[in-house]
Amino acid sequence: AVVSTQSGHYGRAQGKLIKRQRLPKNDQGEHWLWKDLNVGNDVVFYGKTFHIYDCNNYTKDFMCSEGIMLNPPEECPPDPYTLSRKEPQHSYVTPPTFDKLKQFIDLDRQVLRFSAVWDDRNNMFGEMRPYTLHFYRVDDTIEVREQRQPNDGHDPFPVLIGRKKIPKSRSSIPSNFPSAVMEISEHEISDWLTEKDLRVGETVIIMDRPFFLYDCDNFTQSYYQQRYGLTFNRVPVELGERKVEVKREIPPYNGFGSPQDSKQNCLSLIAQPPKKDVMKMLENDLKILRYAAVMVSLSSAPALL
């Protein structure tokens, strides 16, 4: 007979697995005998393998009296399922002193503002383009916005790089990282741009674009002065030729139509009818100026009264 040791909440059938009987040993009709059992051996009962690792004192005395020397006892192999059910040791982790809520309350709306320029003249049709770099202290994110000028010939996309954490080097990620389908996160890059990397008069690489920082605002100037003891001075940078504003002048009246109609042709491509002065109409309504006149004749005949 084979009896399983009972334990609480084991999750399997316990107790008597095989009742008392003669167990077949092979297909030739042989059966297991007491002489076939020994410590350290494996026995197979109905397709199940059992390993004998120890026996009681009575069994040891009986086998010794019959002239069979038993092998030394072994330790019971651990049960993986039982080990997985044991409660792990309690580990006490001291909470970090860094508080995100306190950081948000203290650093919210504290933005370091730098004036930068991107020198793209090495490429075809490249130029010196001015930008504004914002560094948000609350979460160490960076935003790059374009300084637009009217009629500068560029599409109206003021935000070049949206607010995000910028890595110092995008080429330091593992070669097997599937960058075509996944975005780079903190698990791949641990070295990010911080406020210590931003200095007026230095070049910072953002998304493989060199940005030269040449100026900053008053808040940024005072912050670096108090925190790091640094004083920044504006670096003169030539941003290229500024387009001269052309003053639009209305040409003189050409004699076609009324002067108001001719002016409307100069103000818009599709001429609109001139707007009436409503206030003047209301103020001078029913006001008529009446004059007395005499017709003057150029002939020598006397004038008719």
Side-chain angles (χ1 to χ4, degrees), residues 114-134:
F114 294 89
S115 297
V117 61
W118 174 25
D119 188 0
D120 193 33
R121 291 176 295 182
N122 294 331
N123 298 326
M124 183 180 295
F125 308 114
E127 58 182 351
M128 298 278 287
R129 302 186 61 176
Y131 291 90
T132 301
L133 189 146
H134 293 154

Side-chain angles (χ1 to χ4, degrees), residues 1-4 14-24 44-50:
V2 180
V3 181
S4 174
Q14 304 182 54
K16 185 178 293 185
L17 299 180
I18 302 176
K19 66 181 181 179
R20 180 179 176 181
Q21 58 183 291
R22 297 182 65 186
L23 297 175
V44 179
F45 300 150
Y46 296 113
K48 296 181 179 179
T49 303
F50 298 90

Side-chain angles (χ1 to χ4, degrees), residues 114-115 198-202 212-216 220-221 232-235:
F114 294 89
S115 297
L198 305 178
R199 299 286 189 275
V200 174
E202 297 182 0
F212 179 74
L213 308 180
Y214 65 90
D215 197 6
C216 62
T220 306
Q221 180 79 15
F232 297 146
N233 296 323
R234 177 183 174 88
V235 179

Side-chain angles (χ1 to χ4, degrees), residues 25 72 187 207 253:
K25 185 177 182 181
H187 299 284
M207 299 296 181
Y253 175 58

Side-chain angles (χ1 to χ4, degrees), residues 292-303:
V294 177
M295 182 180 297
V296 179
S297 177
L298 298 178
S299 63
S300 58

Side-chain angles (χ1 to χ4, degrees), residues 103-157:
Q103 181 190 21
F104 176 78
I105 296 175
D106 296 341
L107 304 180
D108 186 31
R109 297 186 180 182
Q110 293 190 12
V111 182
L112 305 179
R113 182 175 180 176
F114 294 89
S115 297
V117 61
W118 174 25
D119 188 0
D120 193 33
R121 291 176 295 182
N122 294 331
N123 298 326
M124 183 180 295
F125 308 114
E127 58 182 351
M128 298 278 287
R129 302 186 61 176
Y131 291 90
T132 301
L133 189 146
H134 293 154
F135 182 86
Y136 297 86
R137 295 191 59 215
V138 66
D139 53 0
D140 294 341
T141 55
I142 294 178
E143 179 189 47
V144 180
R145 304 182 68 91
E146 184 177 0
Q147 298 179 7
R148 297 191 65 251
Q149 300 292 336
N151 299 327
D152 56 0
H154 299 292
D155 293 331
F157 295 103

Side-chain angles (χ1 to χ4, degrees), residues 26 41 59 61 72-73 90 95 104 155 180 204-205:
N26 48 37
N41 294 345
T59 305
D61 296 340
H90 295 282
F104 176 78
D155 293 331
V204 58
I205 305 299

